[in-house]
């Protein structure tokens, strides 16, 4: 009861002066109370910049506390010993001092004798990680001792500590997979009790330990993280987003939580957190207008404090997901200003990705294309990973084609033919197989013979057509193989879900630019989107739909 009253009083004090005055009034104090006092001092006197008042280390009461721990370390309780060690590490007491050496030596001796509880082991693990880093050999000994304990009875804090130690000592989980399997199983039952910090730490550990097989735990943690979105620190939110990306988790209510949180908090968020949120949206094809609009407005006011990688991470998703925010004019004016002042600081591949994403949404970086098409810049692209691979050359070719078709006033250098590709390979360029088959069956029903349309047709302009239909001057359909008397070419774009943003009818940027370019090249583009044909019940209805879509003048 005396200790309970002591800690209630101690935790109500907010300055070291108040704490020292309170301690001076006590006649007797247990080691647990003394270590608790050190912990409270570390809480009120430490901030992000270190010790607020270095003179407190010279205080008589503080020195008396330290002397007690220094000379009586062997008589301390486990809790008193390890709590004092944690507090003194936080106060940045010299690790080489007699005080710290004695406490560490006593802790490691008790570890070797198996005298520490699971809670004690966790406290020692935290201290050693903070003091000696991940290469501390004693951490592996702590893990071995933890395995001797009843894992079923571990608290969330103990579970988190073991994950943290395994993360830095094992890296890939193969060496301790048996322990990890038990740990993952026990953690699954405690997910609902986890704080924001514990949730992010465990998810980060699962990524580092490559626990892709722990699907039930990963799914539960990702769903549990939804309610913590407003309470994650920037660092914690980045770790959670990394886990979502690594494990391919797509939880719509998590995105909705971000949509609520980000617009309110964006101006106080670290730029790296904003970049990671945009990366999450981009990779999952999530076009969240509340997030994108907030990021666009934030970029205009904060772009100067972003790194070049962060600039690219914030801007590229606008092109990838084919979205122009309401503040687009000021957004791209700011981007142009930033590029003019910091162009030489961008890595070649980062700059190419950024400029390519701009042309997807018809924002033409004319002033910077002479640099991109210069032999010197192309050599730099070649020299840095991934070099001039097919994807990079496709981006260069599309930039060149955009300049040719959409910017006839451009008079700078052009892309040499050796850097151009014959076709654009993109993850979403191939049509949905099931949808494609249904459309071809419907066309065969409509046109009667397979010779009247061709599928997956390569063009001289780098694009591949899903389906091409040729018409003569009077509008009659010609055989697909015929080359003479072709008056009109119809390009059918069979757009499955993979060509749209998730849960949306908005085309991705790479498909939008393709259809735009095909029109400029003289094709009549007919879009066949999944949401118009998925509900068609049979081939006759599909043929009727295609007739109306492709030949509206003769329909009915």
């Amino acid at each position: 009861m005396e200790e309970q009253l002591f800690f209630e009083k101690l935790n109500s004090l907010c300055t070291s002066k108040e704490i020292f005055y309170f301690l001076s009034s006590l006649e007797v104090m247990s080691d647990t109370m003394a270590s608790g006092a050190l912990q409270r001092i570390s809480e009120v006197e430490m901030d992000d910049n270190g010790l607020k008042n270095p003179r407190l280390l010279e205080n008589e009461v503080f020195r008396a506390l330290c002397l007690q721990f220094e000379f009586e370390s062997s008589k301390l309780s486990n809790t008193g010993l390890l709590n004092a060690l944690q507090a003194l590490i936080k106060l940045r007491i010299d690790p080489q001092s007699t005080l710290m050496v004695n406490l560490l030596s006593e802790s490691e001796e008790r570890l070797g004798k198996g005298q520490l509880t699971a809670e004690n082991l966790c406290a020692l693990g935290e201290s050693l990680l903070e003091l000696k880093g991940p290469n501390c050999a004693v951490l592996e000994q702590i893990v071995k001792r933890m395995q001797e304990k009843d894992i079923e009875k571990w608290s969330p804090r103990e579970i988190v500590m073991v994950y943290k130690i395994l993360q830095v000592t094992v890296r890939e989980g193969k060496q301790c997979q048996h322990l990890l399997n038990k740990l993952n199983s026990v953690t699954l039952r405690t997910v609902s009790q986890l704080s924001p910090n514990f949730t992010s730490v465990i998810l980060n550990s699962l990524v580092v330990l490559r626990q892709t097989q722990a699907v039930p735990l990963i799914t539960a943690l990702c769903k549990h993280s939804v309610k913590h979105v407003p309470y994650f620190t920037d660092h914690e939110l980045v770790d959670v987003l990394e886990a979502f990306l690594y494990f391919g988790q797509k939880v719509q209510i998590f995105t909705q939580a971000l949509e609520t949180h980000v617009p309110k908090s964006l101006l106080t968020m670290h730029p790296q957190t904003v970049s990671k949120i945009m990366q999450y949206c981009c990779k999952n094809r999530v076009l969240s207008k509340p997030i994108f609009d907030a990021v666009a407005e934030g970029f205009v006011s904060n772009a100067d404090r972003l790194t070049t990688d962060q600039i690219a991470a914030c801007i590229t998703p606008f092109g990838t997901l084919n979205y122009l925010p309401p503040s687009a004019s000021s957004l791209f004016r700011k981007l142009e200003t930033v590029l003019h002042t910091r162009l030489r600081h961008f890595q070649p591949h980062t700059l190419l990705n950024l400029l390519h994403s701009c042309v997807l949404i018809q924002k033409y970086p004319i002033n910077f294309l002479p640099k991109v098409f210069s032999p010197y810049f192309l050599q730099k692209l070649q020299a840095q990973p991934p070099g001039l691979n097919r994807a990079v050359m496709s981006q260069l070719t599309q930039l060149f084609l955009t300049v040719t078709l959409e910017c006839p006033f451009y008079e700078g250098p052009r892309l040499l033919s050796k850097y151009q590709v014959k076709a654009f390979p993109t993850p979403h360029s191939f049509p949905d197989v099931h949808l494609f088959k249904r459309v071809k069956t419907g066309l065969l029903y409509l046109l009667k013979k397979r010779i009247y349309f061709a599928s997956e047709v390569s063009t001289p302009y780098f694009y591949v057509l899903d389906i091409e239909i040729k018409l003569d001057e009077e509008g009659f359909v010609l055989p697909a193989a015929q080359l003479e008397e072709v008056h009109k070419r119809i390009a059918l774009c069979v757009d499955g879900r993979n060509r749209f943003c998730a849960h949306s009818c908005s085309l991705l940027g790479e498909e939008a630019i393709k259809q735009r370019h095909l029109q400029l090249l003289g094709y009549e583009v007919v879009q066949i989107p999944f949401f118009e044909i998925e509900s068609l019940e049979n081939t006759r209805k599909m043929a009727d739909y295609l007739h109306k879509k492709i030949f509206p003048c003769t329909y009915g």
Side-chain angles (χ1 to χ4, degrees), residues 225-276:
S225 68
V226 172
K227 71 176 185 180
H228 291 320
V229 166
Y231 311 107
F232 285 126
T233 64
D234 277 0
H235 179 73
E236 289 165 357
L237 183 55
V238 167
D239 281 347
V240 170
L241 289 165
E242 284 278 15
F244 268 83
L245 291 167
Y246 181 80
F247 294 117
Q249 287 287 312
K250 297 174 184 177
V251 181
Q252 200 167 354
I253 52 174
F254 179 80
T255 304
Q256 291 165 357
L258 283 177
E259 286 182 335
T260 303
H261 174 63
V262 172
K264 293 186 293 187
S265 312
L266 187 117
L267 292 178
T268 58
M269 279 183 174
H270 190 279
Q272 190 57 33
T273 310
V274 179
S275 302
K276 189 58 65 176

Side-chain angles (χ1 to χ4, degrees), residues 357-407:
S357 72
C358 290
V359 301
L360 297 180
I361 43 177
Q362 297 177 278
K363 295 295 177 182
Y364 309 112
I366 295 299
N367 294 327
F368 309 104
L369 289 180
K371 175 185 174 72
V372 172
F373 292 152
S374 71
Y376 175 68
F377 183 81
L378 294 169
Q379 286 171 7
K380 286 174 72 177
L381 279 176
Q382 175 84 61
Q384 293 184 6
L388 283 172
N389 64 13
R390 192 163 176 77
V392 172
M393 289 175 68
S394 294
Q395 287 182 316
L396 288 167
T397 305
Q398 201 158 43
L399 274 175
F400 165 69
L401 191 58
T402 300
V403 168
T404 305
L405 294 175
E406 301 184 60
C407 308

Side-chain angles (χ1 to χ4, degrees), residues 64-76:
L65 283 172
C66 290
L67 282 170
Q68 180 186 348
F69 285 106
E70 181 177 336
F71 292 109
E72 299 183 10
S73 59
S74 61
K75 299 176 184 177
L76 299 173

Side-chain angles (χ1 to χ4, degrees), residues 177-234:
Q177 195 57 57
H178 180 66
L179 171 60
L180 276 166
N181 289 341
K182 290 199 294 182
L183 189 59
N184 293 341
S185 178
V186 169
T187 306
L188 181 59
R189 297 196 290 273
T190 65
V191 165
S192 61
Q193 305 169 38
L194 298 176
S195 67
N197 175 256
F198 286 178
T199 304
S200 70
V201 168
I202 294 174
L203 278 171
N204 180 244
S205 297
L206 292 173
V207 170
V208 174
L209 294 164
R210 302 187 182 182
Q211 294 297 289
T212 50
Q213 80 289 346
V215 177
L217 175 58
I218 293 161
T219 304
L221 285 167
C222 288
K223 288 180 178 177
H224 179 67
S225 68
V226 172
K227 71 176 185 180
H228 291 320
V229 166
Y231 311 107
F232 285 126
T233 64
D234 277 0

Side-chain angles (χ1 to χ4, degrees), residues 300-333:
V300 173
S301 53
N302 294 326
D304 296 326
R305 68 187 186 99
L306 272 59
T307 66
T308 53
D309 284 343
Q310 289 166 354
I311 290 167
C314 286
I315 298 299
T316 301
F318 286 93
T320 304
L321 303 186
N322 190 28
Y323 179 64
L324 284 172
S327 59
S329 56
S330 54
L331 171 66
F332 287 96
R333 266 200 311 273

Side-chain angles (χ1 to χ4, degrees), residues 332-495:
F332 287 96
R333 266 200 311 273
K334 183 65 179 180
L335 176 61
E336 185 163 16
T337 302
V338 169
L339 286 172
H340 272 299
T341 55
R342 299 171 64 184
L343 189 67
R344 64 190 178 88
H345 297 133
F346 280 83
Q347 290 296 314
H349 288 281
T350 305
L351 181 62
L352 179 60
N353 286 333
L354 178 59
L355 299 183
H356 177 257
S357 72
C358 290
V359 301
L360 297 180
I361 43 177
Q362 297 177 278
K363 295 295 177 182
Y364 309 112
I366 295 299
N367 294 327
F368 309 104
L369 289 180
K371 175 185 174 72
V372 172
F373 292 152
S374 71
Y376 175 68
F377 183 81
L378 294 169
Q379 286 171 7
K380 286 174 72 177
L381 279 176
Q382 175 84 61
Q384 293 184 6
L388 283 172
N389 64 13
R390 192 163 176 77
V392 172
M393 289 175 68
S394 294
Q395 287 182 316
L396 288 167
T397 305
Q398 201 158 43
L399 274 175
F400 165 69
L401 191 58
T402 300
V403 168
T404 305
L405 294 175
E406 301 184 60
C407 308
F409 48 84
Y410 173 74
E411 296 178 349
R414 305 278 166 155
L415 183 67
L416 297 175
S417 58
K418 68 177 181 178
Y419 297 112
Q420 297 173 22
V421 294
K422 294 182 179 180
F424 292 128
T426 62
H428 310 106
S429 60
F430 301 104
D432 178 296
V433 175
H434 176 66
L435 216 59
F436 197 43
K437 186 177 179 181
R438 288 189 62 205
V439 170
K440 288 196 291 185
T441 304
L443 268 179
L444 185 59
Y445 187 96
L446 175 66
L447 301 177
K448 307 306 180 191
K449 290 185 179 180
R450 182 64 178 82
I451 62 168
Y452 290 118
F453 64 93
S455 56
E456 298 178 274
V457 180
S458 296
T459 70
Y461 313 107
F462 318 110
Y463 291 112
V464 176
L465 310 181
D466 294 337
I467 293 173
E468 184 184 38
I469 298 173
K470 298 174 181 176
L471 306 181
D472 66 12
E473 195 168 356
E474 295 179 14
F476 289 107
V477 179
L478 297 170
Q482 185 167 326
L483 301 177
E484 300 83 18
E485 299 178 5
V486 178
H487 181 70
K488 180 190 284 188
R489 295 174 185 267
I490 299 174
L492 266 62
C493 298
V494 184
D495 295 330

